[in-house]
Amino acid sequence: LVPRGAGSGMTGGNVGRGVIVDFSQGFRQLTVDPAQRVARAGASVTWGQINEAARGFGLRLPPDPSSGAFATSGGMASTNAAGPRSLRYGSVRRWIEAVEIVGTDGESRWVKRGAGSGERFALGQDERRLIAARFPRTRKNSSGYALDAFAQSGDELDLLIGSEGTLAVITGVSWRLDPILPDVAGVALGFGALEALGDAVPYLLALNPSAVELLDRTILSFVEEAGVTLPAGLACLLLVEFERETAPAARGVVGDAVRGLKHLTTHVETAVDRAGLERLWTVRKLASPALARLSEARRSLQVIEDGCVPIERLGEYVAGVRAAADGAGIPVVLFGHAGDGHVHVNTLPDVNRPGWKEEVRGLYDAVTALQLRLGGTASGEHGDGRLRAGLLERVYGAEVVEQFRRIKQAYDPLEILNPGVILPAAGWEGAPLADLKVGADAAGIPDDHTEDITGRYLTPDGNLSRAPRHAHRPARVSRAAAPAGALARRLHARRAAR
Ligand SMILES: Cc1cc2nc3c(=O)[nH]c(=O)nc-3n(C[C@H](O)[C@H](O)[C@H](O)COP(=O)(O)OP(=O)(O)OC[C@H]3O[C@@H](n4cnc5c(N)ncnc54)[C@H](O)[C@@H]3O)c2cc1C
């Protein structure tokens, strides 16, 4: 069974060989309890819908994935999603009070914060020491099972958050909400050299910003293509947001940032209120249409898209990715969450060029090696999926991966749920670039109008990998096509009841 929410995940966790269990619909209940500051949402409810319902009470769900308009509660909890404001508010892990799950035994139950480790999995002292030694010291990490968070809290909930549909299916999430801070201000800071990030980012972090976003010159060139004139000689731009209790406090801290970084910046533009800030941040959105207009030959692929390094290694990481991409002859665009040391990279290979896949694979290997050398992780927020499953042994070492296997065995001994995700399937080596829908040898996108799901998502050999890229509304698997067994019966009963 391959659980799937909106299908916006980038790592292949929402497609696979088996039966897609579509959670984009059918679990839509949503109630907001303003007194408790809690939203109880079915798995299909999106981040946008939660915030729309909470706004009237002056509340919000603070981590803000850019995909919030469509990412589902089940998908966000399963990937431990995050966003620009995670700099101040953390990933969704911190905001999940409880998840409602159906396990592979078919039992439905709520798993709550503070309820302890449950009966399935426990850690001994040696294992705790191992985890402390082997987990990356990055501000964000969505790779592997979150044994570090589990070791700290002792809560089963921490194993389930970020488990990418491999341990249980999530049918509901109880979200903790936070008051919307009344005042906000911000600034765009331009730098002539990447090295400036080494001093600028720690300085900004000390001022307690809610977001520090990086736009590197590679993505700024696409912004210019969209018709915006940017100051000459920009190596990168930081977009900074400060949320405060009062307007003078918000404006004051912007002044502190501008004055404190005067010796490093080549460009400064401030915004003193929410509307001004939104105008400032539109620059971030302008690159997307230009990227979407790339020629058929040049495709934007996310394969090294989610690396996160200790904050003091950020400049080195950005420079290293650029150098590796230049070496491979593949253009890239870089942007992301500088305040967390977390950088998104889109590769733009020419998919008509012979050998392009080998070049992308070479870049994948080089950037992975760079992340490890800098003490980073390959995933800050998107998860491992199938794309990175085979990297875990290199990141964590064989002993930690053995603990990951124990977890899988404890929850899903028959490997019913998303096999090949987080823990690699046999022969994973080719997986990162397998089943791509681009290039001369791409699998065709199946006809979306036929009612025969065998022809649409399930080929006669049981291959589901032909699902369209980022198809946010996949066909629902019909009751007749659903798998037999207690888990399936329970899911269908719950859906019918709702
Ligand atoms: C344009 C764009 C912007 C993005 N921006 C961000 C961002 O800012 N921050 C971020 O963190 N991510 C981002 N993403 C990635 C993605 O949106 C997130 O990972 C999101 O949380 C996935 O939600 P989904 O509903 O689409 O889940 P899917 O993609 O459908 O599934 C993701 C994983 O969760 C599992 N899963 C889904 N639903 C369930 C369920 N009910 N029970 C058990 N397992 C389940 C799936 O098996 C899969 O492994 C972005 C993606 C796109 C396309």
Side-chain angles (χ1 to χ4, degrees), residues 309-480:
V309 295
I311 193 76
E312 64 279 8
R313 314 302 294 269
L314 177 66
E316 216 176 320
Y317 181 59
V318 172
V321 172
R322 275 187 187 175
D326 285 348
I330 300 173
V332 290
V333 292
L334 287 96
F335 56 102
H337 317 299
D340 280 322
H342 182 200
V343 182
H344 293 312
V345 183
N346 287 11
T347 57
L348 309 176
D350 176 350
V351 297
N352 284 345
R353 196 160 100 178
W356 71 271
K357 274 193 186 175
E358 288 70 28
E359 287 166 1
V360 173
R361 180 59 202 246
L363 182 58
Y364 175 96
D365 290 335
V367 170
T368 302
L370 177 67
Q371 288 158 352
L372 297 184
R373 187 169 64 73
L374 299 179
T377 168
S379 174
E381 64 188 16
H382 294 163
D384 296 312
R386 295 168 208 286
L387 176 64
R388 289 184 269 269
L391 297 182
L392 296 194
E393 204 150 314
R394 284 172 67 192
V395 177
Y396 292 104
E399 290 158 296
V400 172
V401 172
E402 192 44 42
Q403 297 306 315
F404 292 164
R405 289 213 172 84
R406 272 184 59 219
I407 296 171
K408 177 72 173 171
Q409 177 69 23
Y411 282 84
D412 182 19
L414 299 177
E415 299 200 20
I416 294 168
L417 288 168
N418 240 351
V421 169
I422 298 187
L423 290 168
W428 172 87
E429 267 308 303
L433 298 183
D435 302 325
L436 287 179
K437 311 298 183 298
V438 297
D441 55 350
I445 305 290
D447 176 2
D448 208 23
H449 297 291
T450 169
E451 285 303 309
D452 174 5
I453 73 159
T454 305
R456 190 158 20 166
Y457 289 111
L458 195 63
T459 55
D461 65 347
N463 186 352
L464 279 156
S465 64
R466 300 200 309 162
R469 293 180 306 138
H470 295 164
H472 294 154
R473 291 197 172 281
R476 271 187 290 173
V477 176
S478 72
R479 274 165 197 245

Side-chain angles (χ1 to χ4, degrees), residues 235-265:
C236 62
L237 198 65
L238 289 181
L239 297 175
V240 190
E241 179 193 87
F242 295 100
E243 293 183 319
R244 292 294 188 270
E245 292 290 345
T246 64
R251 287 172 196 186
V253 71
V254 167
D256 293 343
V258 172
R259 279 189 298 278
L261 294 175
K262 206 169 157 191
H263 61 296
L264 293 173
T265 49

Side-chain angles (χ1 to χ4, degrees), residues 12-155:
N14 49 26
V15 287
R17 292 160 209 274
V19 175
I20 298 280
V21 186
D22 176 9
F23 285 97
S24 68
Q25 305 165 59
F27 294 85
R28 292 199 176 281
Q29 74 281 10
L30 172 63
T31 54
V32 175
D33 180 340
Q36 297 294 323
R37 290 188 187 163
V38 162
R40 289 184 194 86
S44 317
V45 178
T46 65
W47 179 91
Q49 289 163 340
I50 295 164
N51 282 282
E52 207 179 297
R55 196 174 303 124
F57 302 105
L59 298 171
R60 66 174 174 179
L61 176 57
D64 51 345
S66 312
S67 51
F70 40 86
T72 62
S73 289
M76 289 187 289
S78 299
T79 53
N80 187 26
R85 290 203 184 108
S86 293
L87 176 61
R88 184 163 176 185
Y89 300 100
S91 67
V92 299
R93 180 180 304 283
R94 206 193 283 178
W95 301 91
I96 295 178
E97 287 278 299
V99 289
E100 184 190 39
I101 60 165
V102 181
T104 52
D105 54 5
E107 290 304 315
S108 171
R109 62 191 171 103
W110 279 94
V111 179
K112 295 186 178 151
R113 176 63 69 206
S117 60
E119 294 151 11
R120 286 182 172 75
F121 183 81
L123 288 172
Q125 278 313 316
D126 286 352
E127 287 134 8
R128 284 171 188 278
R129 271 193 289 276
L130 185 71
I131 290 158
R134 297 283 166 79
F135 266 66
R137 286 175 173 65
T138 46
R139 289 174 62 103
K140 289 161 93 179
N141 182 21
S142 275
S143 183
Y145 296 113
L147 277 175
D148 52 346
F150 177 73
Q152 211 171 18
S153 70
D155 280 344

Side-chain angles (χ1 to χ4, degrees), residues 190-196 233-236 264-267:
F191 301 89
L194 268 183
E195 290 69 38
L234 273 190
C236 62
L264 293 173
T265 49
T266 55
H267 167 77

